Amino acid sequence: MISSAVVATAAVEHLYVHIPFCPKVCPYCAFYKEASERNKTQAFLEAVLRELTMQTAMLAAENRVLRPRTIFFGGGTPSALSTAQLEFLLGGLRAALDLSQLVEWTLEMNPATVSLEKARALRALGVNRISMGVQSWEPELLLTLGRVHTAGQARRSYEILREAGFENINLDLIFGIPGQSPAQWQRSLERTIQLGPEHISAYNLTYEEDTEFFRRFSRGEFIQDDEADAALFEFTTDTLQAAGYAAYEISNFARPGRECAHNLAYWQGADYLGLGPSAFSTIGERRWAGVRDTAAYIARIAAGESATDFREHVPPATRLAERIAFGLRTNRGVALETLTPWRDDVAAHQEHGLLATSADGRRVLLTRKGRLVADAVALTFVG
Ligand SMILES: C[S@@+](CC[C@H](N)C(=O)[O-])C[C@H]1O[C@@H](n2cnc3c(N)ncnc32)[C@H](O)[C@@H]1O
Ligand code: SF4
């Protein structure tokens, strides 16, 4: 009898694609991006598709296959690409990949770059979730944030997305904006709830290094009031939960079944492949990132070279620590048995009211108080 050894092929189920173009650079944002340069983008699109071929060949050599359950086009602003460019890129991706297992394909949009033609094309290409940056509905705060769109335009863009058939939309909001009153934040939340998106991300403004906001903050032009921010955070959680949005992660709220599957997989420690400049990948014990320079990215890929600029070994203990840190940020928390080596730390955090156990006693969760200091609690489990 002939026996054949079957070697299992492991699937990488999550794909991120970074599009580093924005209609205008916002002064608070540290994501890798540049103001759109149309002449660069066709070469960029070709580079992404070529990088996909290179990365899938590398995965095949390790007996892995890319079979995405989720795809996330982030940035930057993917919707800064024209309809024809999106058709070229997403069409190329569709042709190259096995999408039989795909459940969620998200694309980030800026309200200034939405049109009915583009939205319909994206829907036809298989994108089924849109994440749009609204940030605020207050004209003066949109000015402070240096946004390129008005509140009216954000509203029209949302309606266009619905008209194009999108049934799963996230809107991003920011609180803690310089000059923002609690009443303004309340109005922004209420206006967002009235529109009825499936998902709302509410981020506390962070002063990121190498941004104009950080420089202004360092000069004392802006101040950060941690207590006021904590109160806004509590108010946000209460308001959104009362409106039917579960707080499934510290900054993320969703109607039942509308959590972002891509981000959840990431928080739960799944492997993912990232394409494009600055995009991270984590597969097994390897982590790497593409160069944070679009011209260099294009040149390297065109020359058949790797665009990787950063490599790191992530041993299982590090990945476990990350899973705990991210897991605690979610409403599922972390299995109690996972935390056995830190039993004393968990007990101490429970005593201080930062951690609690789930009703069935099997999982450990951040309390409301703990959510305010989630990063500090997570540090306990590193190393
Ligand atoms: C990569 S942007 C994608 C959306 C799109 N580019 C736009 O701005 O409309 C993702 C989101 O990150 C959030 N964000 C960016 N910088 C931030 C900061 N410094 N503090 C808090 N949230 C921030 C914004 O809410 C933004 O919509
Ligand atoms: S917030 Fe969005 S549009 Fe503004 S710079 Fe960042 S990625 Fe670009």
Side-chain angles (χ1 to χ4, degrees):
M1 195 175 118
I2 301 169
S3 74
S4 60
V6 180
V7 182
T9 305
V12 175
E13 299 185 320
H14 308 283
L15 174 65
Y16 175 79
V17 182
H18 191 81
I19 307 295
F21 307 113
C22 288
K24 176 175 172 276
V25 169
C26 305
Y28 54 86
C29 176
F31 288 99
Y32 174 66
K33 76 279 167 192
E34 49 187 72
S36 292
E37 282 183 54
R38 293 281 161 199
N39 56 352
K40 219 186 252 176
T41 39
Q42 181 57 27
F44 170 76
L45 305 177
E46 284 163 15
V48 174
L49 291 178
R50 190 152 178 210
E51 192 195 5
L52 174 65
T53 308
M54 290 160 73
Q55 296 284 11
T56 46
M58 299 229 313
L59 291 178
E62 295 177 354
N63 214 28
R64 296 182 198 268
V65 63
L66 178 63
R67 195 182 300 119
R69 279 201 319 109
T70 72
I71 302 178
F72 197 105
F73 269 61
T77 305
S79 60
L81 297 174
S82 68
T83 304
Q85 288 170 330
L86 287 164
E87 281 171 340
F88 177 84
L89 181 59
L90 276 64
L93 215 95
R94 288 194 70 89
L97 288 176
D98 173 357
L99 296 181
S100 59
Q101 303 302 308
L102 189 70
V103 292
E104 181 188 280
W105 189 343
T106 302
L107 188 131
E108 288 187 330
M109 297 187 104
N110 177 302
T113 55
V114 176
S115 70
L116 187 56
E117 182 209 30
K118 196 181 284 184
R120 284 195 170 134
L122 288 171
R123 194 69 201 88
L125 283 158
V127 175
N128 59 10
R129 182 173 185 274
I130 294 293
S131 178
M132 187 165 74
V134 171
Q135 324 306 1
S136 172
W137 295 102
E138 303 285 324
E140 67 194 77
L141 297 179
L142 290 173
L143 272 181
T144 305
L145 291 173
R147 296 293 288 177
V148 71
H149 58 86
T150 62
Q153 206 171 2
R155 167 148 203 151
R156 277 193 300 283
S157 294
Y158 179 82
E159 283 161 1
I160 284 172
L161 293 173
R162 290 296 196 206
E163 193 180 335
F166 283 101
E167 294 173 354
N168 196 3
I169 298 180
N170 166 59
L171 298 180
D172 286 338
L173 297 174
I174 298 182
F175 66 90
I177 303 168
Q180 181 186 41
S181 68
Q184 282 177 316
W185 175 238
Q186 180 173 355
R187 272 208 301 273
S188 271
L189 276 179
E190 282 167 0
R191 208 162 155 192
T192 307
I193 291 166
Q194 269 163 21
L195 284 181
E198 285 66 34
H199 189 289
I200 297 173
S201 298
Y203 299 113
N204 193 171
L205 179 73
T206 42
Y207 290 94
E208 304 276 0
E209 271 184 55
D210 291 330
T211 63
E212 194 190 320
F213 264 33
F214 184 78
R215 286 185 285 280
R216 295 183 69 177
F217 176 69
S218 306
R219 289 199 296 265
E221 284 175 46
F222 295 152
I223 50 152
Q224 194 165 26
D225 183 340
D226 289 343
E227 270 185 31
D229 285 353
L232 291 176
F233 171 72
E234 300 260 352
F235 175 77
T236 304
T237 307
D238 289 342
T239 306
L240 291 178
Q241 280 188 330
Y245 295 89
Y248 75 101
E249 196 267 350
I250 287 186
S251 306
N252 287 284
F253 304 83
R255 291 256 169 88
R258 296 303 198 161
E259 299 84 2
C260 176
H262 183 88
N263 285 341
L264 268 181
Y266 176 69
W267 296 324
Q268 286 163 5
D271 285 346
Y272 57 92
L273 178 70
L275 300 176
S278 83
F280 274 83
S281 303
T282 305
I283 295 178
E285 296 190 17
R286 291 187 303 123
R287 175 166 296 149
W288 69 94
V291 58
R292 277 175 76 93
D293 178 329
T294 306
Y297 171 80
I298 294 169
R300 286 205 205 174
I301 298 280
E305 293 166 12
S306 160
T308 302
D309 203 28
F310 162 88
R311 284 186 183 83
E312 187 180 41
H313 176 231
V314 274
T318 305
R319 294 204 65 178
L320 175 65
E322 291 173 353
R323 262 204 308 281
I324 293 171
F326 285 125
L328 283 176
R329 291 178 65 91
T330 69
N331 64 350
R332 289 196 69 231
V334 174
L336 186 58
E337 69 213 31
T338 310
L339 297 172
T340 309
W342 296 276
R343 201 181 287 122
D344 293 345
D345 300 297
V346 171
H349 286 318
Q350 282 178 322
E351 216 165 282
H352 291 110
L354 301 176
L355 289 177
T357 30
S358 59
D360 64 6
R362 292 197 181 154
R363 303 191 72 82
V364 175
L365 307 156
L366 283 173
T367 59
R368 284 177 75 102
K369 188 175 160 197
R371 285 181 169 218
L372 297 172
V373 289
D375 291 344
V377 174
L379 276 178
T380 316
F381 308 105
V382 179

